[in-house]
Amino acid sequence: MLTSRLIPCLDIRGGRVVKGVKFQNLRDAGDPVTQAARYEAEGADELVVLDVSATLEERMAALDVVAALRTRLRIPLTVGGGVRSTDDARTLLEAGADKVAVNSAAVDRPELLRELSTDFGRQCTVIAVDAARAPEGGWSVMVRGGRVRTERRAISWIREAEGLGAGEVLLTSWDRDGTRSGYDLELLAEASQAVRLPVIASGGASSPEHMAQALSVGASAVLAASIFHDNDMTCGQVKDALRESGIEVRT
Amino acid sequence: MKTVTLLKTGLANLASVQAAFDRLGARTELAETADDVSRAERLVVPGVGAFEAAMSVLKEADLASALRDRVDKGRPTLGICLGLQLLGLASEESPGVTGLGCVPEEVRGFSPEVISPQMGWNRVVPATDSKLLEAGYAYFANSYRFETIPERWTGATSEYGGTLVAALERGAVLGCQFHPELSGAYGERLMSRWLSLEVTPC
């Protein structure tokens, strides 16, 4: 059977790993290639790199990071952050990304998803959604790195993205991101029901229990950052714990 | 130094495949013409994208017969993902489009009860007469697949909404539904074994 995936995430800026809470207060968390190589050696199934660069110089440095990661990594690499066109995506793919994640640009212009899946294939096209609980219930789609709330509803947006050609959903709970209080399980359950695509749980994980919960409500993969950056646990330790709770993971 | 020739079937991303061969100490070059396909000591057909788009590239550039010929002769050829599916008769992904026909099977989508694409690491179980494949986990990213290993081929299977072909093997031809270049140590060992196969002239 297909195993559940454990995906460490590196937020990078200007060639360095950074980590913040609710997308704010970024702090330096190390060298991306060193960390990624360690994650792979410890059993990470895949790696997500989100480029949170604010300037052109930082973005060029991020491209060098993707190339350096590709040279080293023998596992899949998804790259997102600032992708606004098929040209942007091609640049990342040529540098060595296997999948490209789009977020704000697809909200602004949903047709981008169709263009990406036509040019590079569905399995290459990841829709990244930052979902924040709305006062009226459900979740709103946040854009611009979580700073701007849109009129879009997260679940219907994910469904629309599937129709346009997205092949995977990277679903981050804006409310839980960086809080270490566990994933938003209701969000994951509703999203997994709404589409036939694999859903990657993101935002809030600080323990294997959180990850097991996300997988039990329908997520295909669990993404985490701070639990690994802060050396709380290694990928191997997390996988051992998941296996003990009856979840099939790659050995 | 061993040379591997990559056949670009469209907008497929080649960086990961190139990086994987770099790590194995092989040199990579790109095939442009049917002659390149015929002459290549070792040919890789990486496949990302749609069946129809890739087949039309092969047909327009007159690469299809050169590719079919080397597969039928069992010369060192590695098809990856769509690069394996193109060897079939046709695909449910692109009705009415003819494949290379080296593998007498049609490619079909997954049964509706499973998440599609299949995305992640699945267990690969080799057939007893496979020479190249070993048991282990490999990384898949596919919405379509062959269901059975046809006669005159061997290979490996995996389970996902029923049995699917994880890989096909015949002579020095290896077609992987998974991505060996993204399959960690498992994939690296497989690519290394394929690289060490004897090269045969065209």
Side-chain angles (χ1 to χ4, degrees), chain A residues 37-72:
Chain A
R38 180 162 58 86
Y39 293 155
E40 181 187 319
E42 290 169 354
D45 293 309
E46 195 166 327
L47 192 75
V48 168
V49 169
L50 296 177
D51 175 15
V52 295
S53 296
T55 66
L56 189 61
E57 287 76 20
E58 287 176 344
R59 205 163 287 290
M60 294 314 287
L63 213 51
D64 291 340
V65 169
V66 172
L69 287 169
R70 181 73 285 150
T71 301
R72 188 72 176 263

Short mmCIF file of all heavy atoms in Angstrom, two decimals, chain A residues 37-72:
data_model
loop_
_atom_site.label_atom_id
_atom_site.label_comp_id
_atom_site.label_asym_id
_atom_site.label_seq_id
_atom_site.Cartn_x
_atom_site.Cartn_y
_atom_site.Cartn_z
N ALA A 37 19.85 17.58 3.73
CA ALA A 37 20.61 16.32 3.64
C ALA A 37 20.39 15.50 4.90
O ALA A 37 20.24 14.27 4.84
CB ALA A 37 22.09 16.62 3.43
N ARG A 38 20.36 16.18 6.04
CA ARG A 38 20.14 15.47 7.30
C ARG A 38 18.72 14.86 7.31
O ARG A 38 18.52 13.71 7.68
CB ARG A 38 20.32 16.43 8.48
CG ARG A 38 20.09 15.78 9.84
CD ARG A 38 20.69 16.60 10.98
NE ARG A 38 20.16 17.96 11.05
CZ ARG A 38 19.04 18.29 11.70
NH1 ARG A 38 18.32 17.37 12.29
NH2 ARG A 38 18.62 19.55 11.73
N TYR A 39 17.74 15.64 6.86
CA TYR A 39 16.36 15.14 6.83
C TYR A 39 16.25 13.89 5.95
O TYR A 39 15.61 12.92 6.31
CB TYR A 39 15.40 16.21 6.31
CG TYR A 39 15.23 17.40 7.22
CD1 TYR A 39 14.84 18.63 6.71
CD2 TYR A 39 15.44 17.30 8.60
CE1 TYR A 39 14.67 19.73 7.53
CE2 TYR A 39 15.29 18.39 9.43
CZ TYR A 39 14.90 19.62 8.89
OH TYR A 39 14.74 20.70 9.70
N GLU A 40 16.89 13.96 4.77
CA GLU A 40 16.82 12.79 3.89
C GLU A 40 17.46 11.57 4.56
O GLU A 40 16.90 10.47 4.54
CB GLU A 40 17.50 13.05 2.54
CG GLU A 40 17.40 11.82 1.62
CD GLU A 40 18.17 11.92 0.32
OE1 GLU A 40 18.17 12.99 -0.31
OE2 GLU A 40 18.76 10.89 -0.08
N ALA A 41 18.62 11.78 5.15
CA ALA A 41 19.33 10.67 5.80
C ALA A 41 18.49 10.08 6.93
O ALA A 41 18.55 8.88 7.21
CB ALA A 41 20.67 11.14 6.32
N GLU A 42 17.70 10.92 7.58
CA GLU A 42 16.89 10.46 8.72
C GLU A 42 15.55 9.86 8.29
O GLU A 42 14.77 9.44 9.13
CB GLU A 42 16.64 11.62 9.68
CG GLU A 42 17.90 12.05 10.42
CD GLU A 42 17.72 13.38 11.16
OE1 GLU A 42 16.66 14.02 11.02
OE2 GLU A 42 18.66 13.77 11.86
N GLY A 43 15.25 9.88 6.99
CA GLY A 43 14.05 9.20 6.52
C GLY A 43 12.93 10.09 6.00
O GLY A 43 11.82 9.60 5.78
N ALA A 44 13.20 11.38 5.80
CA ALA A 44 12.16 12.25 5.22
C ALA A 44 11.75 11.69 3.86
O ALA A 44 12.59 11.21 3.09
CB ALA A 44 12.69 13.67 5.06
N ASP A 45 10.46 11.74 3.56
CA ASP A 45 9.95 11.16 2.31
C ASP A 45 9.99 12.13 1.15
O ASP A 45 9.90 11.73 -0.02
CB ASP A 45 8.50 10.70 2.52
CG ASP A 45 8.44 9.55 3.50
OD1 ASP A 45 9.19 8.57 3.31
OD2 ASP A 45 7.66 9.63 4.47
N GLU A 46 10.09 13.39 1.46
CA GLU A 46 9.96 14.42 0.45
C GLU A 46 10.34 15.72 1.16
O GLU A 46 10.36 15.78 2.39
CB GLU A 46 8.48 14.45 0.03
CG GLU A 46 8.16 15.18 -1.21
CD GLU A 46 6.74 14.86 -1.71
OE1 GLU A 46 6.26 13.73 -1.53
OE2 GLU A 46 6.12 15.77 -2.27
N LEU A 47 10.62 16.76 0.39
CA LEU A 47 10.97 18.03 1.01
C LEU A 47 10.18 19.15 0.34
O LEU A 47 10.03 19.16 -0.88
CB LEU A 47 12.47 18.29 0.84
CG LEU A 47 13.03 19.44 1.67
CD1 LEU A 47 13.16 19.04 3.13
CD2 LEU A 47 14.38 19.88 1.14
N VAL A 48 9.66 20.06 1.16
CA VAL A 48 9.03 21.26 0.62
C VAL A 48 9.89 22.46 0.98
O VAL A 48 10.30 22.61 2.13
CB VAL A 48 7.60 21.44 1.17
CG1 VAL A 48 7.07 22.84 0.84
CG2 VAL A 48 6.65 20.39 0.60
N VAL A 49 10.15 23.29 -0.01
CA VAL A 49 10.89 24.53 0.21
C VAL A 49 9.99 25.69 -0.19
O VAL A 49 9.51 25.75 -1.31
CB VAL A 49 12.19 24.56 -0.62
CG1 VAL A 49 12.81 25.94 -0.60
CG2 VAL A 49 13.19 23.53 -0.10
N LEU A 50 9.73 26.56 0.75
CA LEU A 50 8.93 27.74 0.46
C LEU A 50 9.83 28.97 0.52
O LEU A 50 10.46 29.24 1.54
CB LEU A 50 7.76 27.88 1.45
CG LEU A 50 6.73 26.75 1.39
CD1 LEU A 50 5.66 26.96 2.45
CD2 LEU A 50 6.10 26.65 0.00
N ASP A 51 9.89 29.66 -0.59
CA ASP A 51 10.74 30.84 -0.70
C ASP A 51 9.94 32.06 -0.21
O ASP A 51 8.98 32.47 -0.85
CB ASP A 51 11.17 31.00 -2.16
CG ASP A 51 11.96 32.26 -2.40
OD1 ASP A 51 12.43 32.85 -1.42
OD2 ASP A 51 12.12 32.63 -3.58
N VAL A 52 10.34 32.61 0.92
CA VAL A 52 9.62 33.78 1.47
C VAL A 52 10.42 35.06 1.25
O VAL A 52 10.29 36.02 2.01
CB VAL A 52 9.27 33.58 2.98
CG1 VAL A 52 8.30 32.43 3.14
CG2 VAL A 52 10.52 33.32 3.82
N SER A 53 11.22 35.05 0.19
CA SER A 53 12.04 36.23 -0.12
C SER A 53 11.19 37.46 -0.37
O SER A 53 10.09 37.39 -0.90
CB SER A 53 12.88 35.97 -1.37
OG SER A 53 13.80 34.94 -1.14
N ALA A 54 11.76 38.60 0.01
CA ALA A 54 11.05 39.87 -0.20
C ALA A 54 11.68 40.68 -1.32
O ALA A 54 11.05 41.57 -1.87
CB ALA A 54 11.06 40.68 1.10
N THR A 55 12.92 40.37 -1.69
CA THR A 55 13.60 41.17 -2.72
C THR A 55 14.08 40.27 -3.85
O THR A 55 14.15 39.04 -3.71
CB THR A 55 14.86 41.87 -2.14
OG1 THR A 55 15.81 40.84 -1.77
CG2 THR A 55 14.51 42.70 -0.92
N LEU A 56 14.42 40.90 -4.97
CA LEU A 56 14.90 40.16 -6.13
C LEU A 56 16.20 39.43 -5.81
O LEU A 56 16.40 38.28 -6.22
CB LEU A 56 15.08 41.13 -7.31
CG LEU A 56 15.37 40.49 -8.66
CD1 LEU A 56 14.22 39.58 -9.09
CD2 LEU A 56 15.61 41.56 -9.72
N GLU A 57 17.08 40.08 -5.06
CA GLU A 57 18.37 39.47 -4.70
C GLU A 57 18.13 38.18 -3.90
O GLU A 57 18.77 37.17 -4.13
CB GLU A 57 19.23 40.43 -3.87
CG GLU A 57 19.83 41.59 -4.65
CD GLU A 57 18.80 42.67 -4.97
OE1 GLU A 57 17.76 42.72 -4.28
OE2 GLU A 57 19.02 43.43 -5.92
N GLU A 58 17.21 38.26 -2.96
CA GLU A 58 16.91 37.09 -2.14
C GLU A 58 16.34 35.97 -3.00
O GLU A 58 16.61 34.80 -2.79
CB GLU A 58 15.92 37.46 -1.03
CG GLU A 58 16.54 38.29 0.07
CD GLU A 58 15.53 38.72 1.12
OE1 GLU A 58 14.30 38.64 0.86
OE2 GLU A 58 15.96 39.14 2.19
N ARG A 59 15.52 36.35 -3.99
CA ARG A 59 14.90 35.34 -4.84
C ARG A 59 15.95 34.63 -5.71
O ARG A 59 15.87 33.44 -5.93
CB ARG A 59 13.81 35.98 -5.71
CG ARG A 59 12.76 34.99 -6.12
CD ARG A 59 11.48 35.63 -6.63
NE ARG A 59 10.65 36.23 -5.60
CZ ARG A 59 9.97 35.58 -4.66
NH1 ARG A 59 10.04 34.28 -4.60
NH2 ARG A 59 9.25 36.22 -3.79
N MET A 60 16.91 35.38 -6.18
CA MET A 60 17.99 34.76 -6.96
C MET A 60 18.78 33.79 -6.08
O MET A 60 19.16 32.70 -6.53
CB MET A 60 18.93 35.84 -7.53
CG MET A 60 18.29 36.77 -8.56
SD MET A 60 17.30 35.91 -9.82
CE MET A 60 18.62 35.17 -10.78
N ALA A 61 18.99 34.15 -4.84
CA ALA A 61 19.70 33.26 -3.90
C ALA A 61 18.89 31.98 -3.69
O ALA A 61 19.44 30.89 -3.58
CB ALA A 61 19.94 33.98 -2.58
N ALA A 62 17.58 32.12 -3.66
CA ALA A 62 16.71 30.96 -3.45
C ALA A 62 16.85 29.97 -4.60
O ALA A 62 16.84 28.75 -4.41
CB ALA A 62 15.26 31.41 -3.31
N LEU A 63 17.01 30.50 -5.81
CA LEU A 63 17.18 29.64 -6.99
C LEU A 63 18.48 28.83 -6.87
O LEU A 63 18.51 27.65 -7.23
CB LEU A 63 17.22 30.53 -8.24
CG LEU A 63 16.64 29.98 -9.52
CD1 LEU A 63 15.24 29.43 -9.33
CD2 LEU A 63 16.64 31.07 -10.59
N ASP A 64 19.52 29.47 -6.36
CA ASP A 64 20.78 28.75 -6.12
C ASP A 64 20.59 27.65 -5.08
O ASP A 64 21.19 26.58 -5.18
CB ASP A 64 21.87 29.72 -5.63
CG ASP A 64 22.31 30.68 -6.73
OD1 ASP A 64 22.07 30.37 -7.91
OD2 ASP A 64 22.88 31.74 -6.40
N VAL A 65 19.75 27.93 -4.10
CA VAL A 65 19.47 26.92 -3.06
C VAL A 65 18.78 25.71 -3.69
O VAL A 65 19.14 24.56 -3.41
CB VAL A 65 18.58 27.50 -1.94
CG1 VAL A 65 18.09 26.40 -1.01
CG2 VAL A 65 19.35 28.55 -1.14
N VAL A 66 17.81 25.95 -4.58
CA VAL A 66 17.11 24.85 -5.24
C VAL A 66 18.10 23.99 -6.03
O VAL A 66 18.08 22.75 -5.94
CB VAL A 66 15.99 25.38 -6.17
CG1 VAL A 66 15.39 24.25 -7.00
CG2 VAL A 66 14.90 26.06 -5.35
N ALA A 67 18.99 24.64 -6.75
CA ALA A 67 19.99 23.89 -7.54
C ALA A 67 20.91 23.08 -6.63
O ALA A 67 21.22 21.92 -6.92
CB ALA A 67 20.79 24.86 -8.41
N ALA A 68 21.32 23.69 -5.52
CA ALA A 68 22.22 22.99 -4.59
C ALA A 68 21.50 21.82 -3.94
O ALA A 68 22.07 20.74 -3.74
CB ALA A 68 22.73 23.96 -3.53
N LEU A 69 20.22 21.99 -3.62
CA LEU A 69 19.43 20.91 -3.03
C LEU A 69 19.30 19.75 -4.01
O LEU A 69 19.41 18.58 -3.66
CB LEU A 69 18.04 21.41 -2.63
CG LEU A 69 17.96 22.31 -1.40
CD1 LEU A 69 16.57 22.94 -1.29
CD2 LEU A 69 18.30 21.53 -0.13
N ARG A 70 19.05 20.08 -5.29
CA ARG A 70 18.87 19.04 -6.30
C ARG A 70 20.10 18.16 -6.45
O ARG A 70 20.00 16.95 -6.60
CB ARG A 70 18.51 19.68 -7.65
CG ARG A 70 18.29 18.70 -8.75
CD ARG A 70 16.97 17.93 -8.61
NE ARG A 70 16.94 16.90 -7.61
CZ ARG A 70 15.84 16.53 -6.95
NH1 ARG A 70 14.71 17.12 -7.16
NH2 ARG A 70 15.88 15.57 -6.05
N THR A 71 21.27 18.82 -6.45
CA THR A 71 22.52 18.08 -6.57
C THR A 71 22.61 17.02 -5.48
O THR A 71 23.08 15.91 -5.71
CB THR A 71 23.70 19.06 -6.46
OG1 THR A 71 23.54 20.02 -7.50
CG2 THR A 71 25.03 18.37 -6.62
N ARG A 72 22.14 17.38 -4.30
CA ARG A 72 22.33 16.55 -3.13
C ARG A 72 21.20 15.54 -2.89
O ARG A 72 21.43 14.41 -2.51
CB ARG A 72 22.45 17.49 -1.93
CG ARG A 72 22.83 16.83 -0.64
CD ARG A 72 24.29 16.40 -0.66
NE ARG A 72 24.66 15.85 0.64
CZ ARG A 72 25.26 16.53 1.59
NH1 ARG A 72 25.58 17.79 1.39
NH2 ARG A 72 25.55 15.96 2.74
#
